[in-house]
Amino acid sequence: MSLRLGYGTNGLTDLRLDDALGLLADLGYDGVGLTLDHMHLDPVAAGLAARTRRLAGRLAGLGLEVAVETGARYVLDPRHKHGPSLLDPDPGARAARTGLLLRAVRVAADLGAHAVHCFTGITPRGTSPDDAWRRLGAALTPVLEAAATARVPLAIEPEPGHLLATLDDFHHLRSLLGDPEPLGLTLDIGHCQCLEPAPPAECVRRAAPWLRHVQIEDMRRGVHEHLPFGEGEIDFPPVLDALTACGYRGLTVVELPRHSHAGPELARASLDFLRPRVPTRGAPVCRS
C-alpha cells in the first residue's frame, strides 16, 4: 500500500506495551503511535534511556515504525487533565510541560521515530490571546531547538478547544516563530470533520507542505468525539487519496483513545476498514 498504517497505544491502554506491539505486528500494521504514559514507556520514571533502548530493539524485531505522541491525560498532573500546559500562568508549570516534550524528542531520536506529536492546551482563564501565544512561543523554542539537533520534526496538532485549534492557528504560530524548519503539523482527520470549514480531503491538500504526522478516526460535524470507522460522517476514500497524492510518508495512526476496552477488536476492524480503501497505485500530484 502507498500509505503506512499505525494504531495508537492510547487506544490499547488495557494491554501491556509489549503485548500491544505484538498484536499490531500480528495484525499487519506498519507502525505504532506511542503515547508516552505511565503504562507505556513512562517518561517520568527512572531508567528511561535503558527502557527506550529495549523498546527500540522490540520495534525493530517486529518491523514496526513509530511516532512519539505526548497526549497522555495525567502523566504530569494526576488531578488535571493534560496539565500543566504550555500556556500555564506559572512558569514552573510551563517548564514541566516543556521538559516532557524535550524527553519526548530524545525518546523519538533513540527510537528512530518520524515525528514527535504535541498540542498547546486550553487558554487559561484570565489569559489574553496575546499572552497565550507569547507563552506558547517561549515554551516551544527550546523544544524546536532540540528537535532540530535530533533531526526529528515537532508536529503540533490543532485540537478543538485549544489555543491552537485550526489550520489557520497553525499558520499563525509558524508566522509568530519565524517559520522554523523543525515545526510541522499533526493533522487529525476527525478534527477536520469536526470544525474546519473545508472538507477533510481539502484540509489534507492545504496542509500537505507541513504534514509530519496524521491521526485518523471517524467523527461528526461539530462534535469532538473520536469514533470507530463507519460511526461518523467522514467519506474516507477522498481523504486517503489526498494523503497518497500529497506524497505523505509518515504513519497514518488510528486514534481511538476512549475505546481501550475493545482495543484488540477495534485494531483489527480498523485495519480491515482502511486497507481496501487505501490507494495501491500512484495518484495525481497534490496541489496545495
Side-chain angles (χ1 to χ4, degrees):
M1 292 188 295
S2 52
L3 292 179
R4 297 197 291 274
L5 301 176
Y7 200 91
T9 59
N10 60 0
L12 296 169
T13 56
D14 291 295
L15 277 69
R16 298 176 184 88
L17 180 56
D18 191 65
D19 292 337
L21 297 177
L23 169 73
L24 297 181
D26 288 346
L27 289 175
Y29 278 94
D30 301 295
V32 58
L34 173 67
T35 294
L36 303 181
D37 208 345
H38 65 89
M39 78 295 289
H40 291 158
L41 197 65
D42 189 339
V44 298
L48 179 59
R51 289 184 285 119
T52 301
R53 286 193 296 272
R54 288 195 295 271
L55 176 57
R58 175 66 169 157
L59 290 167
L62 293 171
L64 292 174
E65 301 176 42
V66 63
V68 172
E69 302 191 350
T70 61
R73 295 183 180 97
Y74 296 101
V75 70
L76 292 180
D77 186 332
R79 292 176 175 82
H80 300 96
K81 181 181 177 182
H82 295 150
S85 80
L86 297 168
L87 312 176
D88 199 289
D90 177 7
R94 295 198 299 275
R97 177 60 61 171
T98 295
L100 174 66
L101 296 182
L102 290 171
R103 287 193 291 277
V105 169
R106 290 195 293 271
V107 167
D110 290 344
L111 294 179
H114 72 80
V116 172
H117 150 278
C118 70
F119 47 54
T120 65
I122 298 168
T123 302
R125 184 177 301 176
T127 300
S128 71
D130 286 346
D131 283 344
W133 286 107
R134 279 195 291 269
R135 289 175 190 169
L136 177 62
L140 281 180
T141 294
V143 184
L144 290 166
E145 292 171 351
T149 299
R151 304 184 72 175
V152 178
L154 184 70
I156 197 162
E157 178 188 6
E159 180 80 20
H162 285 207
L163 174 68
L164 197 154
T166 66
L167 289 173
D168 285 346
D169 293 334
F170 169 70
H171 291 301
H172 178 70
L173 178 63
R174 285 181 53 242
S175 176
L176 182 70
L177 295 179
D179 197 17
E181 192 277 334
L183 180 63
L185 176 71
T186 292
L187 190 69
D188 186 301
I189 301 303
H191 295 173
C192 296
Q193 176 71 20
C194 179
L195 84 172
E196 291 285 352
E202 180 61 23
C203 291
V204 170
R205 288 186 283 271
R206 293 180 181 180
W210 304 277
L211 201 55
R212 302 295 179 265
H213 186 43
V214 173
Q215 297 172 342
I216 192 167
E217 69 286 314
D218 217 340
M219 203 169 286
R220 301 185 184 100
R221 182 71 179 169
V223 182
H224 185 202
E225 181 182 3
H226 291 235
L227 299 172
F229 298 108
E231 296 187 12
E233 302 169 340
I234 298 176
D235 183 14
F236 283 97
V239 173
L240 299 170
D241 288 347
L243 286 168
T244 301
C246 289
Y248 172 65
R249 294 292 180 260
L251 290 171
T252 298
V253 172
V254 178
E255 183 82 356
L256 293 172
R258 296 185 181 272
H259 292 77
S260 282
H261 62 283
E265 293 81 5
L266 280 172
R268 182 186 305 276
S270 297
L271 196 58
D272 289 345
F273 179 92
L274 290 171
R275 268 178 172 157
R277 292 167 172 82
V278 172
T280 57
R281 294 190 297 272
V285 175
C286 177
R287 304 295 183 188
S288 59

